[in-house]
Structures are given as structure tokens and as C-alpha cells.
Amino acid sequence: MSLAIDAQDLVKHYGRHQALRGVSLQVEPGELFGLLGPNGAGKTTLISILATLLDTDGGAAHLFGHRVHTAQRELRRLIGIVPQELAIYGELSARENLTFFGRLYGLDEKLLEQRVDELLVAVGLDGRANDPAQTFSGGMQRRLNLGAALVHRPKLVFLDEPTTGVDPQSRNHIFNEIRRLNAEGVTIIYTSHYMEEVQSLCARVAIMDHGQVVACDARERLLRLLPGEVRVQLPRPDAELASRLGRMPEVKVDVPGPDQLVVRCPDTSEMLKQLVPWLHELELAEARLQVEEPNLERVILSLTGHALRD
């Protein structure tokens, strides 16, 4: 079976600025894949090329075995795009918006009517189907935006910040629909500045910076690039505890203050099993512990030096 995405050495220039510097990326059919990186990393340019909206200056990309280029209009039938900026018409109703986009893809009218009814239910807008989209809340408009990208049943969907500015209820509804689509075999590329979303949804993640892929791996392996931390606030100074911890393999101990320790280790659970008995033994049981596990935000910061909201 062909890869859903097979990009090899993609290059793109905007004048003197090189937006992509030899990007290679492979995504299997049916993956829910995260694409992350700070602003200016090249994510939008990469998505635009893969969605046949922009030609590359070098390298090649294939979707499900088909060569990607802007003249390949038929390939767009396989693709759905949910852009960061809303791509719906406020004066049209939810039903009219979905019908309009379905006709752009040449759907048969009878099939289109059935598909629109299904999507209105799927995105939770069946009760407001005939109301103008401009009367909807931001979350409802986001859900309609998602529906417009799905009306033609694409095999590959690009989601660019799909939950920006939405309420928690709409966010959960969008998440449920994403998981449902993925369970049906739709390949999804998800990009967001909300790291907890990507960490919850995506089993594999690529991180971009300065037009290159700097890391691409399973989520759990990326998280293991960084140690966990246990911060210890002692009831009194104690040099013995720091000495014992410092002798443990793969453990690094920082002492920011006489009664403070920061313990970095590969496995915080195993560390706590050793640390808690020592605290009791050394009569330090009143110590306060704070555990911080690795997360994608910290991984990206360590790889790129930038927070995602830069």
C-alpha cells in the first residue's frame, strides 16, 4: 500500500528566504499525525505544497502514490483542508455552506443532500442547519469549517489550528469527530499551538524548525528525549539526601538552595519509590514534592529554542 504522504527533499524559496530546506516526511495511511514547530518553521508552506496549492522548487511529494503538483486538480478530491482562518460564508446557512462546498467537488445532488444531513449531525449543527453562519458562536463556526472540509469524504485531512478561540464544548466535539474520522481510516495531519491537544491525539509527531524536520518519531519516544523532574522542598537543609541521589545512575541533582533539590531522572515513578523511604529515614517526611513529567512543549523548546507562541 502506498504511503499517504511521501515527501522527499522538498525545497521552497520566497525570494531570498528559504522556507523549506530539504524536508522529507512519510506518513502511513490512517495515521493521526502531529506537525509542530514555532512560527516561521515552514509548516504552512509544507502543508500548502502537500495540498497541491503551491509548487515546490525542489524535491518531490506523493499522496497515496500520486505525484503532487498544482496542476493535479483531481488529487484535490482526496484532500480536505481546515485552515486556521475560517473558510465559510457568513450570509449562508450551515446547510447552504456544506451544499456549496459539496457542489464544488461535483457531488451528485442526491448523494450531496444525504452527506450534508450526515455532517450537520456529526458537527452538532443539525439544530441550526438553516441559520446564517454569521449568527453562530466562534466554536460553531469552527465546527462548520470542519464539516466543509469533509463533505466530499477525503482520504487525507489537514487541520491547521482547528480549535483556535473555541469554547470547551466545541473543542470536545471537534476532538470526538477527529477521532471518529481517524477510526474510519482517514489520515489526519494536525497542527496546533496547544501542545496538550497534540499530545492527547497524535501517536506520531514531526517537529519543524527553520524549514527542516528536526525530529520525527512516536510521541512516547520524543517525550523520552527529556528527563522527568522531581522538585523537593525540604523542611531543613540536608546534604545526605543530595549525596545519595547523586550516586544513583542516570540521575542528576541540582541544589538551587540549601533546602531545595531538583532531581532529573529517566523515570519519576521509580525515583519516588526510592526517594520517599529515604525522606522518612532521614526524618524529612514533611518535604514537599512536585513532579514534572516531560511534555511536547518542553521537547520543542529543547530542540528549537523557541516556545510555540513566539
Side-chain angles (χ1 to χ4, degrees):
M1 180 182 295
S2 299
L3 291 167
I5 296 174
D6 185 11
Q8 300 289 341
D9 299 318
L10 296 183
V11 174
K12 184 63 183 180
H13 297 88
Y14 297 109
R16 294 183 178 181
H17 174 64
Q18 191 169 2
L20 297 183
R21 303 168 181 265
V23 169
S24 296
L25 187 70
Q26 288 75 45
V27 177
E28 296 285 344
E31 278 200 84
L32 178 41
F33 186 91
L35 181 63
L36 304 175
N39 289 343
K43 304 186 300 295
T44 299
T45 297
L46 175 60
I47 289 174
S48 297
I49 289 172
L50 295 177
T52 75
L53 302 176
L54 190 66
D55 279 324
T56 180
D57 295 326
H62 293 79
L63 302 183
F64 303 101
H66 302 283
R67 178 72 178 263
V68 174
H69 52 82
T70 55
Q72 182 65 287
R73 298 181 63 86
E74 285 300 311
L75 193 55
R76 295 178 186 175
R77 295 180 182 274
L78 304 179
I79 302 167
I81 307 175
V82 181
Q84 185 172 353
E85 300 297 326
L86 290 171
I88 56 176
Y89 294 94
E91 67 275 16
L92 299 182
S93 70
R95 181 180 299 280
E96 289 168 339
N97 266 284
L98 295 179
T99 300
F100 171 78
F101 286 105
R103 285 173 176 162
L104 288 180
Y105 284 98
L107 295 185
D108 173 81
E109 286 296 320
K110 185 175 182 180
L111 175 62
L112 177 57
E113 183 177 352
Q114 176 185 344
R115 182 63 179 150
V116 168
D117 286 339
E118 293 172 352
L119 278 174
L120 287 168
V121 173
V123 299
L125 293 175
D126 48 316
R128 300 286 301 275
N130 298 315
D131 294 344
Q134 61 194 6
T135 67
F136 293 172
S137 68
M140 294 168 68
Q141 291 181 349
R142 286 282 172 190
R143 281 146 51 192
L144 180 58
N145 207 41
L146 175 61
L150 303 177
V151 67
H152 58 298
R153 295 187 183 276
K155 295 174 63 177
L156 171 64
V157 177
F158 294 97
L159 301 175
D160 188 3
E161 304 285 352
T163 63
T164 298
V166 308
D167 57 275
Q169 182 181 12
S170 289
R171 180 175 285 111
N172 288 335
H173 203 115
I174 290 171
F175 289 168
N176 289 337
E177 182 63 11
I178 289 170
R179 291 188 176 102
R180 185 190 67 79
L181 286 168
N182 187 238
E184 291 182 351
V186 177
T187 306
I188 298 174
I189 309 300
Y190 193 100
T191 181
S192 176
H193 283 93
Y194 299 115
M195 290 298 90
E196 67 277 8
E197 294 183 2
V198 178
Q199 195 162 322
S200 171
L201 291 169
C202 303
R204 201 160 67 95
V205 177
I207 299 170
M208 293 186 66
D209 193 30
H210 297 299
Q212 297 178 306
V213 175
V214 296
C216 182
D217 210 335
R219 175 190 59 220
E220 298 306 322
R221 283 196 286 270
L222 287 175
L223 293 176
R224 287 199 293 270
L225 291 175
L226 294 181
E229 292 185 357
V230 180
R231 297 180 177 270
V232 186
Q233 180 67 55
L234 298 170
R236 56 176 171 78
D238 186 281
E240 174 61 21
L241 180 62
S243 177
R244 290 187 185 186
L245 291 168
R247 291 194 293 268
M248 296 179 66
E250 297 186 275
V251 171
K252 181 179 180 182
V253 181
D254 291 333
V255 185
D259 57 353
Q260 297 176 333
L261 300 175
V262 178
V263 185
R264 296 182 175 87
C265 55
D267 190 327
T268 57
S269 296
E270 290 301 315
M271 169 54 64
L272 291 174
K273 290 178 183 177
Q274 183 64 69
L275 177 58
V276 171
W278 281 349
L279 290 172
H280 284 276
E281 179 187 338
L282 297 171
E283 299 182 350
L284 299 169
E286 296 178 6
R288 296 195 301 271
L289 305 179
Q290 179 182 345
V291 177
E292 184 175 346
E293 298 290 357
N295 56 47
L296 284 177
E297 186 77 37
R298 287 178 56 204
V299 170
I300 289 171
L301 187 60
S302 72
L303 290 172
T304 71
H306 301 285
L308 287 197
R309 298 185 191 277
D310 281 357

